[in-house]
């Protein structure tokens, strides 16, 4: 379970407890009216939060961020380590590769702007040096589709760094 799943579980349990408390109140007793109003408001807030957590979209809006995209963005922004690739570089110099916090944020922003397929194709092509044909075979799309994903990723990179 990731953090979002744990939060969903906690909110669901909390909502059940609030509903149980509301059911125990005597609805005909005017002294319980304020408590019932308060509990019902809390239940509504829990429902709103749960819907947002489960869908990744703000409830009530027609447009939103897909769940995978918002959680991917948070994942990339929380990256602490960029792997050391010095032994993969042909011309190894003795200088250790290092990225500043600002560079990591820029990199995270670039990766987060890619769709899943753009990121997959771009990393396989540029990072792993795979041919577009091999990538196409591996992920089950045409070579032209792979080329399109890579071109879109490169365009997004140019837009972000310019």
């Amino acid at each position: 379970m990731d953090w979002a799943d744990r939060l969903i579980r906690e909110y669901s349990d909390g909502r059940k407890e609030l509903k149980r408390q509301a059911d125990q109140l005597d609805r005909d007793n005017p002294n319980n009216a304020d408590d019932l109003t308060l509990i019902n408001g809390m239940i509504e807030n829990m429902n709103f939060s749960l819907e947002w957590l489960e869908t990744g979209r703000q409830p009530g809006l027609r447009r939103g961020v897909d769940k995978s995209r918002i959680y991917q963005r948070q994942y990339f922004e929380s990256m602490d380590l960029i792997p050391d690739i010095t032994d993969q570089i042909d011309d190894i110099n003795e200088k250790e590769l290092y990225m500043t916090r600002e560079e990591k944020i820029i990199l995270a922003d670039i990766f987060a702007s890619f769709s899943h397929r753009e990121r997959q194709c771009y990393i396989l092509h540029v990072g792993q040096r795979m041919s577009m044909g091999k990538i196409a075979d591996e992920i089950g799309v045409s070579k032209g589709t792979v080329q399109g994903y890579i071109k879109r990723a490169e365009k997004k990179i140019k837009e972000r760094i310019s």
Side-chain angles (χ1 to χ4, degrees):
M1 286 178 68
D2 66 359
W3 64 270
D5 293 326
R6 285 192 302 272
L7 265 178
I8 289 170
R9 179 66 179 219
E10 288 176 28
Y11 274 58
S12 296
D13 292 345
R15 183 178 57 183
K16 285 178 191 173
E17 178 61 26
L18 287 170
K19 286 181 180 179
R20 188 186 62 72
Q21 288 179 8
D23 289 342
Q24 288 179 350
L25 291 175
D26 182 12
R27 295 181 188 275
D28 296 330
N29 185 347
N31 294 332
N32 292 337
D34 289 338
D35 291 340
L36 195 56
T37 302
L38 183 64
I39 290 173
N40 284 335
M42 291 167 51
I43 291 171
E44 286 179 34
N45 289 337
M46 290 267 202
N47 288 335
F48 182 87
S49 298
L50 277 166
E51 185 178 342
W52 200 329
L53 284 168
E54 289 168 347
T55 64
R57 294 176 182 246
Q58 182 176 345
L61 294 182
R62 290 182 175 222
R63 293 185 181 179
V65 185
D66 291 326
K67 180 178 179 180
S68 61
R69 301 282 283 163
I70 190 66
Y71 295 147
Q72 284 172 3
R73 177 170 211 76
Q74 290 172 351
Y75 169 76
F76 289 129
E77 288 174 355
S78 66
M79 283 192 313
D80 289 332
L81 295 174
I82 302 295
D84 186 6
I85 58 168
T86 49
D87 36 329
Q88 297 177 15
I89 300 174
D90 295 333
D91 243 355
I92 299 179
N93 54 20
E94 297 303 314
K95 180 182 170 192
E96 184 178 331
L97 294 179
Y98 174 77
M99 290 183 75
T100 65
R101 176 160 171 67
E102 292 79 23
E103 290 170 332
K104 288 180 183 181
I105 290 170
I106 292 168
L107 182 62
D109 185 50
I110 289 170
F111 278 143
S113 72
F114 291 174
S115 71
H116 173 71
R117 286 292 193 184
E118 289 168 348
R119 186 171 43 258
Q120 183 180 29
C121 292
Y122 186 80
I123 290 172
L124 288 173
H125 184 66
V126 176
Q128 302 289 328
R129 303 269 186 222
M130 285 179 69
S131 70
M132 290 184 199
K134 258 187 159 177
I135 296 169
D137 291 340
E138 186 169 311
I139 65 174
V141 297
S142 71
K143 182 180 172 183
T145 301
V146 170
Q147 186 176 12
Y149 286 135
I150 293 170
K151 281 185 180 183
R152 282 198 300 271
E154 289 171 344
K155 181 181 175 189
K156 288 177 182 180
I157 291 170
K158 286 179 186 173
E159 288 172 357
R160 295 267 195 261
I161 61 174
S162 59

